[in-house]
Amino acid sequence: MTENAVEIKNVVLHFPKQRNALIMLVNFFRRKKVRFTALRNVSFEVKKGEVLGIIGKNGSGKSTLLRIISGIYPADEGSCKAAGSISLLAGLGTGFSGHQTGRENAILYGSILGHNEQMMIEKLPEIIEFSELENFIDEPVRTYSSGMKARLGLAVASAIHPDILLIDEVLGVGDPQFKEKSKKRILNLVESTGTVVLVSHSFGLMKDICDRLVFIHKGEIIGVGEPDEIIKLYYETTGKD
Amino acid sequence: MIDKLQLKPPNMSGEYSHAKLENIGTRSPSWKAPIMNTIVIFRHRFLVRNLVRREIRGRYRNAMLGYTWTVIEPMLLASVYYFLFVMLAGNPDKMYPVWVLIGVVIWGCFGRSLSGSVSSLSRNAQTIHLVYFPRVIFPTTSIMGNIVISMMSCLVVIPILIFYDLPVTVYIIYVPISVLFAGFLGIGLGMLVAPLNCVQRDVEHLFRFIVRAGFFLSPVMWTYEMALERGVFGEVALYNPMTVPLTMARHGVAGESLGIPWAGVLGSLGFGIIMWILGSIVFNRYEAGAVKHL
């Protein structure tokens, strides 16, 4: 019997629907709540050392679920518990400031992701080497191509040692060679971290590395279990096309 | 093609962290918010430093004159207001352009701090969606950046002291203090409405107007002493919390003591502290929900 690293119990999350101010005001006084329910009664747990995959169609609530675990959104109902430090790998390189150099941005982005100063100083040479930016590292980021930005983002983001790792579709940036390299790096990270929650659309990869899959559809969990079964269930529920 | 990867089987040993399960996103109780915010800023000082640097770098990017704009901008602005005032009211005082210049610097610090912190959450929507860290860091770094920039603007005082042959006294310390004061007055109000600005951006536009209107209602183009000469206006001016920092900076340059009744100073400081406590509590209570609107 292993301990749980993450416990999600009956989590409900609503998003407010954006309306104009007048309608919002009227609804406020009529105590009517116009909202969109992104997650309905979601419960599952992740064991320590387990790689859990989440699958579902676009807009089914996968990313929202990861954001709940990482604390970005508070759950409206239910409870969400986690043991230890959590890192979310998502949207690599957002928050870069274009007029600062790659090196400065690496430090900035690293500190945003919660790296401490000591670690950034130690890791910086390795990060720069991994990003393959070479001389560009001291140029402003606005001169970078989108691939270069993503590479730098991945290099910084993957230099972490959390207890729990959340990955949201970050496999597959840059050219084929870098894609391969980044996949290897993330898989290494998955291996060394142990407890991982992974959101991805590449079922082949998930079949290989995930111990269990969670299938989420329209904000509700349809099934949890062995990867093969759940992928079958996915196709049965959503249709082949 | 996805190659089969050899991953070590999970749970080989008990090497995973022994951290206990804890609730995610628990809020500290409201009464603790102001203290907690301060602790949080100190704890995240590495991040805060980097964000402040981004804020400052971003302001004068791709500009040939770069940071000298921090001094040039208030000087240009002050000269325009000077001509306007001379045209309307005749020349009052040889020191008048200096008072306007200092007024513009101090008011600029307050105005930018206020509008910067009001829009701090909405401007950083991308980062907020990406990672969680205490969000009080956003308005705080915005204000810290503005304070640093305003401190640089204060260097304009040096040529003034030389040109007008003013004595440098201990009161010169009033100049940086009043910059801090002005920034502090901005943060409370900024934190108070920053979550609301996520829901409706109108708040941002409203506050931009408030900053502009406040420019004329505060002793920027006029001084506290001018208001005093008109009798009751001097007392009325003291109800404006910004009167104290503005007057303080001017007296610092002139090398004089403050010359404002203590009640006025305490009132202004008290207003700042109350707004800061209130702002911290409201921010702490509502930021999490407001972020969903981004």
Side-chain angles (χ1 to χ4, degrees), chain A residues 39 54 59 139 172 180:
Chain A
L39 296 174
I54 302 178
E139 299 289 325
E180 200 54 39

Side-chain angles (χ1 to χ4, degrees), chain A residues 13 21 24 49 95-96 108 114 122 125 127 141 143 176 211 218 232 240-241:
Chain A
L13 184 82
M24 279 176 78
F96 278 175
L108 171 70
E122 277 170 21
I127 287 170
V141 165
T143 63
D211 301 313
K218 292 184 178 163
K232 219 174 103 203
K240 273 284 174 194
D241 34 34

